Amino acid sequence: MKKLVIAAGTGFLGEVLVNHFKDKFEEIIILTRGKSRTVDRIKYVNWNARTFTGWQKELENATVLINLAGKSVDCLYTKENKKEILWSRIESTKILNKAVLNCKNPPKHWLNSSTATIYRFSLDKQMDEIDGEIGNDFSINVALSWEKAFFKTETPNTLKTALRTSIVLGKNGGALIPLKTLAKIGFGGKQGKGNQFVSWIHEEDFANAVDFIIEKEIIGIINVVSPEPIRNVDFMQKLRKAVGFPFGIPLNKFFLEIGAFFIRTETELVLKSRNVVPKRLLDNGFEFKFGDIDKAFKYLTN
């Protein structure tokens, strides 16, 4: 493949994708708010994700465009932060739509971030792309607006795929780092009631799934999650075992609320039951390397 462009590709997921694709593309361009530079054959180009400043020409002749832009949801949901969470996703997606339409030779395939949080809180039903039930709260409405901004502009010469991604577990980044820390200091018990489902995916499977979607030219909505959601109480028990800590003090909602305030985040990130499965990936023949949480933890905690 010739050219990969990753918008907002300097974070955890961007690094996972760059490591995976660095030998598969002749050229990799990262659109970043940082300075333009070239490091180890990776070209970094400054953009503000809202206006054309010259970065748009990098989309010409791209094989693949991946958009990861959006303010992290790991923050307190103040009025200002909620506005930025929404508009950082909408505006970056809209300006990329304009850029793609303006290209003489636009990207062949555009994969845009979305989130598995788009489905309702579920303790009963597994949510797939066909029968999954959409809920109604701030995070869900952000996801709906995000996907609408992506799909409503038709790009006749560019395939489009929305990646409804769950928590990505990585060795050097993502949600697993603070969870491992909690487990190692004795606070690795269940969080809240503990019956809520955790939808997750190993970083290597995430990158392989993106590669698979590109290769198979799968379009539309894709759940990028492992095939086995796991209840929080079991997730934390298996994590304690993996890090070698014998017990874990449970954290009820009250203590989670206090802790979340001090570390400036929201309890929704651990209390919502995300019971999501990757029907379309499996139906298309994708094979997970780390579909089992014990295997994933063994690899990620050693």
Side-chain angles (χ1 to χ4, degrees):
M1 291 182 282
K2 185 179 179 184
K3 183 178 182 181
L4 168 65
V5 179
I6 305 179
T10 58
F12 165 55
L13 291 185
E15 290 181 1
V16 169
L17 293 176
V18 168
N19 287 334
H20 178 85
F21 285 116
K22 61 186 177 184
D23 297 323
K24 298 191 175 192
F25 283 88
E26 296 175 23
E27 186 179 6
I28 295 180
I29 312 291
I30 306 294
L31 302 182
T32 172
R33 293 182 183 273
K35 293 181 179 180
S36 297
R37 63 200 189 280
T38 300
V39 181
D40 297 331
R41 298 191 304 112
I42 310 297
K43 183 179 178 183
Y44 295 83
V45 177
N46 177 263
W47 81 321
N48 63 10
R50 293 179 177 179
T51 57
F52 291 144
T53 55
W55 58 264
Q56 65 274 16
K57 65 176 182 275
E58 302 294 345
L59 302 189
E60 291 285 356
N61 300 303
T63 311
V64 178
L65 165 64
I66 300 174
N67 178 28
L68 303 175
K71 176 179 172 59
S72 172
V73 295
D74 187 11
C75 64
L76 283 178
Y77 287 176
T78 63
K79 185 177 180 179
E80 183 177 331
N81 281 342
K82 287 168 80 171
K83 182 179 178 181
E84 184 61 21
I85 286 170
L86 174 63
W87 285 107
S88 61
R89 287 158 172 74
I90 302 303
E91 291 187 354
S92 60
T93 302
K94 283 184 174 180
I95 198 69
L96 285 170
N97 262 315
K98 289 180 181 178
V100 167
L101 288 176
N102 288 340
C103 284
K104 292 181 179 178
N105 297 293
K108 293 181 173 62
H109 197 165
W110 175 6
L111 292 79
N112 209 63
S113 288
S114 184
T115 173
T117 297
I118 199 168
Y119 301 105
R120 69 166 172 83
F121 181 105
S122 177
L123 297 173
D124 54 342
K125 177 179 178 177
Q126 291 192 328
M127 303 296 178
D128 62 35
E129 301 92 337
I130 311 304
D131 299 315
E133 297 170 6
I134 308 300
N136 180 23
D137 61 22
F138 167 71
S139 297
I140 290 168
N141 290 329
V142 166
L144 287 169
S145 299
W146 198 3
E147 290 188 3
K148 182 179 179 181
F150 179 51
F151 284 118
K152 75 175 182 180
T153 298
E154 294 184 10
T155 52
N157 298 310
T158 301
L159 303 176
K160 281 184 168 179
T161 308
L163 307 174
R164 289 182 176 173
T165 306
S166 64
I167 295 169
V168 180
L169 303 178
K171 206 161 195 171
N172 300 309
L176 187 60
I177 303 301
L179 290 175
K180 278 197 298 184
T181 300
L182 282 176
K184 288 177 179 178
I185 62 174
F187 289 96
K190 67 179 182 179
Q191 294 158 331
K193 293 181 179 179
N195 63 342
Q196 69 272 28
F197 281 97
V198 180
S199 282
W200 60 277
I201 189 168
H202 187 285
E203 60 184 348
E204 195 171 324
D205 280 332
F206 169 75
N208 287 336
V210 171
D211 199 335
F212 182 83
I213 290 164
I214 293 167
E215 179 189 348
K216 297 287 186 180
E217 297 186 342
I218 304 172
I219 61 172
I221 291 162
I222 303 283
N223 290 343
V224 185
V225 300
S226 78
E228 296 182 10
I230 183 171
R231 291 193 186 273
N232 173 271
V233 63
D234 299 318
F235 181 95
M236 296 306 297
Q237 184 272 326
K238 290 176 182 293
L239 180 57
R240 292 197 305 274
K241 180 180 177 182
V243 301
F245 206 87
F247 68 89
I249 298 171
L251 297 172
N252 62 31
K253 186 176 180 180
F254 174 75
F255 285 110
L256 285 172
E257 293 281 2
I258 295 173
F261 176 80
F262 280 106
I263 64 173
R264 316 305 286 173
T265 191
E266 291 289 330
T267 58
E268 177 196 35
L269 301 180
V270 294
L271 293 181
K272 179 172 180 178
S273 186
R274 297 170 177 85
N275 194 1
V276 184
V277 290
K279 177 175 172 57
R280 293 195 66 203
L281 278 176
L282 294 174
D283 287 351
N284 278 278
F286 181 73
E287 296 182 4
F288 286 83
K289 183 177 179 181
F290 296 95
D292 177 76
I293 194 70
D294 289 308
K295 185 177 180 182
F297 280 156
K298 183 177 180 180
Y299 175 86
L300 292 169
T301 57
N302 288 336

